Amino acid sequence: MEGEPLSALCTPALVVDLDKVKRNAKRMIERFEKLGVQLRPHMKTHKTLECADIMTGGSRRCIVVSTLAEASFYANHGFDDILYAYSVPFDKVEHCAVLSERLELFQVLLDHPDALEQLKKRPLKDGRLWHVWLKLDCGNGRAGVLHSEPEAIRLAQAIAQAEGVNLTGVYAHCGNTYNCKGVEQIQAVAQETTSLTLQFVEKLKSFGITCKSSIGSTPSCSHPVKDMSQLSEVHPGNYVFYVWRMWLCCVLTRVIGHSPHRNQLLIDCGWTGISLDGVGKLPTGNAMIEGHPNLKLVSMTQEHGRVEPISGPLDYSNYPLGTLLTLIPYHSCAAAAMHPVYHVHSEGQLVGKWTPTRGW
Amino acid sequence: MEGEPLSALCTPALVVDLDKVKRNAKRMIERFEKLGVQLRPHMKTHKTLECADIMTGGSRRCIVVSTLAEASFYANHGFDDILYAYSVPFDKVEHCAVLSERLELFQVLLDHPDALEQLKKRPLKDGRLWHVWLKLDCGNGRAGVLHSEPEAIRLAQAIAQAEGVNLTGVYAHCGNTYNCKGVEQIQAVAQETTSLTLQFVEKLKSFGITCKSSIGSTPSCSHPVKDMSQLSEVHPGNYVFYVWRMWLCCVLTRVIGHSPHRNQLLIDCGWTGISLDGVGKLPTGNAMIEGHPNLKLVSMTQEHGRVEPISGPLDYSNYPLGTLLTLIPYHSCAAAAMHPVYHVHSEGQLVGKWTPTRGW
């Protein structure tokens, strides 16, 4: 398929704009080089080797992953300095230990004293240390011990003092920036997460404990506030496929049916092709249809999407069967997760395929 | 892992109850043997060889698929008499032709005259015929030409008269039975779909055209109405993983976090583990949690689920980190689609793994 136009693809197909991915990756690298902050890109959106190479500038060092399957995949392909940024699950402690003993640097994360006990029960060989980040909830409301809880400082102290364990840093995710409207709101959340994380690290210093700090999310790292230069690391990920109001990956689909009795088109992309993320969140349904602002993806089943005009009757002569349409997904991570392969193009010409890892 | 208990699995994990799958498959086979109707089971829910063997009683003949990837996968493993029950997509006509020339019997489906033209433009080698089902919309409201449209009869005639093409039958899907409350409603929809399909076939007879008839969906085929015995075929599929109010596949997950500041638990199953199908449709959120009717899966991100009590404060001592929970998905097809492997058990003891095919 290499050298052929996008229209040569069978649909549904997830396509990635290589030039934009490279440009976005370069910008993020340069932005944090200037700020003097270590960029640790997150792999969860794409889970491919090729994109990881682009995001690390070819170093294959200093990445974050969301699953142990990703960690193993990257470790097996020469990547190192991997942070498994997921409250260490008890069923996966042994596998984490093996990676910690095998790689130069494998790091885990936790937010509960029972998890620390699990690590202590499995000391690493050859005098190696568990490298542990404390996950802090600074308002994001998912994993993490709440920053203001006295328990948070106690847990950090316990990690720092535990035998065979090193407190590497304090880690906060500001996924709540995705709900923000505009740069000002994003920067307010980024500022709060940064301040709370840095204050926490300062408080630890007063107890004689020094460690790193990291915050992340694509919106906050696309519009960094000044104080972020005081962080040790940042860990955005989604930016390779998405920047605020810009999409680098989309799903190609074709018209496969006309339903004049319902004023609808059928397309060959159902929820297996783009996921159900975004239902009810966009005026155009689960996706936007590039170049057709009056079309709405009203519903999907496993292999079918129903499309209708936002207003007025559909002119079927504009959409003969076989018409190629481009869906811009509500959530690029969720759309990518449905595809066993991504088709990569440069200016509309296919240049290769990327195969993601899956599972846990 | 074989011989080990379910608790030996790392989570999230999709587990399938082999005994129940076999029992359901046997019941469906026997039910339609008694009625004298050919059962053509649908593969879309599981997409595995092992389950296809169970559903076909080992014959490896007479199946329906939803993607060409499934068709190729089954053809490559000795299956035949395959119906690709999807309005034949123009980008896949050549691939369909190759399968039609290679298999004893490969059947396609269409609902538009332009699709018929595509088939006529690609005559099959060695005097073979395109075997074509006409897709009829009998109220389901997805693919299909509306049963009452004069266009429907005209299209059937055109298929029957086209050179190199055989009108195999009339095919209606009654997915609208899934929205029914109770057997009475299901049977009303099944009766209507059956009657409209049989009337359509009768009308074709008056034009000198004879062909088969097929309707399907798990609810209608689990509670068949008497007239269904006059059909040539039925094509349910979901019944191997689900029967009305009974679940044969579920997702195992573990507690990985406590969030007392939000009265919530975190589990290691996000939307990558169970899909977003069902959001807002169950009082318990996107899934039911077996044995814990007071727990609700309130939200999910990529790798996390948030669980909270429907009422009252959470007693965390009942849910220590590492606690194994069983999620009963809202939609088994959607949950299965997220997993690269299914873990199969018999009475809670692991007996094997099934690997589905993916893509299109």
Side-chain angles (χ1 to χ4, degrees):
Chain A
M1 303 287 292
E2 285 189 31
E4 293 203 61
L6 290 178
S7 58
L9 290 170
C10 282
T11 46
L14 188 112
V15 296
V16 175
D17 185 327
L18 182 62
D19 305 319
K20 287 188 186 165
V21 166
K22 283 184 176 171
R23 196 176 60 209
N24 267 22
K26 190 162 172 271
R27 273 192 199 153
M28 196 62 90
I29 289 171
E30 290 172 350
R31 183 179 294 135
F32 285 97
E33 267 177 3
K34 259 188 214 158
L35 288 176
V37 176
Q38 175 68 54
L39 173 67
R40 182 182 290 279
H42 207 307
M43 303 294 121
K44 79 173 191 98
T45 299
H46 58 89
K47 308 192 185 200
T48 67
L49 294 177
E50 296 85 349
C51 198
D53 272 338
I54 294 171
M55 292 172 93
T56 60
S59 74
R60 299 199 160 193
R61 293 292 177 277
C62 201
I63 60 170
V64 202
V65 298
S66 65
T67 65
L68 210 46
E70 289 164 60
S72 298
F73 175 68
Y74 287 112
N76 292 342
H77 287 86
F79 282 74
D80 210 314
D81 187 357
I82 298 172
L83 165 53
Y84 175 35
Y86 195 75
S87 307
V88 61
F90 292 7
D91 55 321
K92 298 182 184 78
V93 169
E94 179 55 31
H95 193 161
C96 287
V98 170
L99 283 171
S100 299
E101 288 164 350
R102 178 183 146 199
L103 294 179
E104 275 179 40
L105 184 55
F106 183 71
Q107 306 175 50
V108 297
L109 176 152
L110 60 81
D111 60 5
H112 196 284
D114 290 356
L116 178 59
E117 291 310 306
Q118 293 282 324
L119 301 188
K120 285 160 71 180
K121 271 197 230 160
R122 173 57 171 89
L124 301 181
K125 289 175 196 162
D126 305 325
R128 283 183 171 244
L129 299 178
W130 282 102
H131 295 278
V132 177
W133 291 76
L134 173 69
K135 178 74 181 267
L136 213 57
D137 181 355
C138 295
N140 181 50
R142 194 173 61 191
V145 57
L146 193 63
H147 65 93
S148 54
E149 285 287 322
E151 175 54 37
I153 287 287
R154 279 200 293 270
L155 182 53
Q157 289 177 299
I159 297 169
Q161 287 154 12
E163 200 169 337
V165 180
N166 168 259
L167 175 66
T168 306
V170 175
Y171 185 103
H173 173 59
C174 45
N176 42 340
T177 46
Y178 283 98
N179 302 326
C180 291
K181 286 181 177 59
V183 174
E184 207 173 317
Q185 279 189 25
I186 289 170
Q187 292 194 320
V189 172
Q191 181 63 55
E192 196 189 12
T193 308
T194 303
S195 299
L196 291 171
T197 303
L198 291 172
Q199 284 163 21
F200 192 87
V201 168
E202 280 305 303
K203 206 187 284 181
L204 284 178
K205 255 193 208 157
S206 73
F207 292 103
I209 299 167
T210 56
C211 70
K212 293 183 179 179
S213 55
S214 181
I215 79 149
S217 82
T218 286
S220 61
C221 292
S222 300
H223 306 283
V225 294
K226 197 166 149 277
D227 285 356
M228 282 169 70
S229 64
Q230 297 174 53
L231 295 163
S232 319
E233 297 192 356
V234 288
H235 53 259
N238 196 1
Y239 64 96
V240 281
F241 278 9
Y242 163 87
V243 204
W244 194 54
R245 291 188 179 162
M246 267 191 57
W247 292 265
L248 284 62
C249 89
C250 47
V251 177
L252 297 187
T253 183
R254 280 188 174 83
V255 174
I256 55 155
H258 290 169
S259 310
H261 52 293
R262 292 194 309 273
N263 196 34
Q264 287 179 341
L265 296 172
L266 279 185
I267 58 172
D268 68 3
C269 181
W271 46 254
T272 55
I274 196 167
S275 93
L276 287 164
D277 209 344
V279 170
K281 291 182 184 164
L282 291 173
T284 56
N286 282 50
M288 282 178 289
I289 305 180
E290 201 177 55
H292 300 272
N294 192 40
L295 291 185
K296 179 174 179 174
L297 177 55
V298 285
S299 69
M300 288 186 289
T301 54
Q302 190 161 344
E303 301 294 349
H304 294 85
R306 292 184 187 94
V307 170
E308 65 183 33
I310 290 175
S311 64
L314 201 52
D315 181 350
Y316 286 93
S317 68
N318 290 335
Y319 304 99
L321 296 199
T323 301
L324 197 64
L325 296 172
T326 302
L327 303 178
I328 299 169
Y330 174 77
H331 188 177
S332 56
C333 301
M338 307 308 289
H339 287 260
V341 66
Y342 314 150
H343 300 275
V344 182
H345 73 95
S346 174
E347 294 178 352
Q349 190 173 315
L350 292 166
V351 293
K353 284 185 203 180
W354 293 351
T355 303
T357 190
R358 293 282 177 246
W360 296 271
Chain B
M1 303 286 291
E2 283 189 32
E4 294 202 62
L6 289 178
S7 59
L9 290 171
C10 282
T11 46
L14 189 112
V15 297
V16 175
D17 185 326
L18 182 62
D19 304 322
K20 287 188 186 167
V21 167
K22 283 184 175 169
R23 194 176 63 206
N24 267 22
K26 190 162 173 269
R27 273 192 198 154
M28 196 62 90
I29 289 171
E30 289 172 352
R31 183 179 294 136
F32 286 96
E33 265 177 6
K34 257 187 215 160
L35 288 177
V37 176
Q38 176 68 52
L39 173 66
R40 182 182 290 278
H42 208 307
M43 303 293 120
K44 79 172 190 100
T45 299
H46 58 89
K47 308 192 186 200
T48 66
L49 294 177
E50 296 85 349
C51 197
D53 273 336
I54 294 171
M55 291 172 93
T56 61
S59 74
R60 300 200 157 190
R61 293 293 175 277
C62 202
I63 59 170
V64 203
V65 297
S66 65
T67 64
L68 208 48
E70 290 164 58
S72 299
F73 174 69
Y74 287 112
N76 292 341
H77 287 87
F79 282 75
D80 210 315
D81 187 358
I82 299 173
L83 165 52
Y84 175 34
Y86 194 74
S87 306
V88 62
F90 293 8
D91 54 319
K92 300 183 184 79
V93 169
E94 179 56 33
H95 193 160
C96 288
V98 171
L99 283 170
S100 298
E101 289 165 349
R102 178 181 148 202
L103 294 179
E104 276 180 41
L105 185 53
F106 183 70
Q107 306 174 49
V108 297
L109 175 152
L110 60 81
D111 60 5
H112 196 285
D114 290 355
L116 178 59
E117 290 310 308
Q118 293 283 323
L119 301 187
K120 284 160 72 179
K121 271 197 232 162
R122 174 55 172 92
L124 300 180
K125 289 174 195 161
D126 306 325
R128 283 182 172 244
L129 300 178
W130 282 102
H131 295 279
V132 177
W133 292 76
L134 173 69
K135 178 73 181 269
L136 213 57
D137 181 355
C138 294
N140 181 49
R142 196 172 58 188
V145 56
L146 193 64
H147 65 93
S148 55
E149 286 286 322
E151 175 55 36
I153 287 287
R154 280 201 294 271
L155 182 54
Q157 288 177 299
I159 297 168
Q161 287 154 12
E163 199 169 336
V165 180
N166 168 260
L167 175 65
T168 306
V170 175
Y171 185 104
H173 172 60
C174 46
N176 42 339
T177 47
Y178 283 98
N179 302 325
C180 291
K181 287 180 178 58
V183 175
E184 207 173 317
Q185 280 189 24
I186 289 170
Q187 292 192 321
V189 172
Q191 180 62 56
E192 197 189 12
T193 309
T194 303
S195 300
L196 292 172
T197 302
L198 291 172
Q199 283 162 23
F200 192 89
V201 169
E202 280 304 304
K203 207 188 284 182
L204 284 178
K205 255 192 208 157
S206 73
F207 292 102
I209 298 167
T210 55
C211 71
K212 294 184 179 179
S213 54
S214 181
I215 78 149
S217 83
T218 286
S220 60
C221 293
S222 300
H223 307 283
V225 294
K226 197 165 149 279
D227 284 356
M228 282 169 71
S229 63
Q230 297 175 53
L231 295 163
S232 317
E233 298 192 355
V234 288
H235 53 259
N238 196 1
Y239 63 96
V240 282
F241 278 9
Y242 162 86
V243 204
W244 195 54
R245 289 184 178 164
M246 268 191 57
W247 292 264
L248 285 65
C249 90
C250 47
V251 177
L252 298 186
T253 183
R254 282 189 172 85
V255 175
I256 55 153
H258 290 168
S259 311
H261 51 295
R262 294 194 309 271
N263 196 34
Q264 288 178 342
L265 296 172
L266 278 185
I267 58 172
D268 67 3
C269 182
W271 48 252
T272 56
I274 195 167
S275 92
L276 286 165
D277 210 343
V279 169
K281 290 182 183 163
L282 291 173
T284 56
N286 281 51
M288 283 179 287
I289 304 179
E290 200 177 56
H292 300 271
N294 192 40
L295 291 185
K296 179 175 179 175
L297 178 55
V298 285
S299 70
M300 288 187 289
T301 54
Q302 188 161 345
E303 301 292 348
H304 294 85
R306 293 186 187 89
V307 171
E308 65 183 32
I310 290 174
S311 63
L314 201 54
D315 181 352
Y316 287 93
S317 67
N318 289 335
Y319 304 99
L321 294 200
T323 301
L324 196 65
L325 296 172
T326 302
L327 303 179
I328 299 169
Y330 173 77
H331 187 178
S332 56
C333 300
M338 307 308 290
H339 287 258
V341 68
Y342 314 151
H343 299 275
V344 182
H345 72 95
S346 174
E347 293 177 354
Q349 190 173 315
L350 292 165
V351 293
K353 284 186 203 179
W354 293 352
T355 304
T357 190
R358 292 282 177 245
W360 296 272

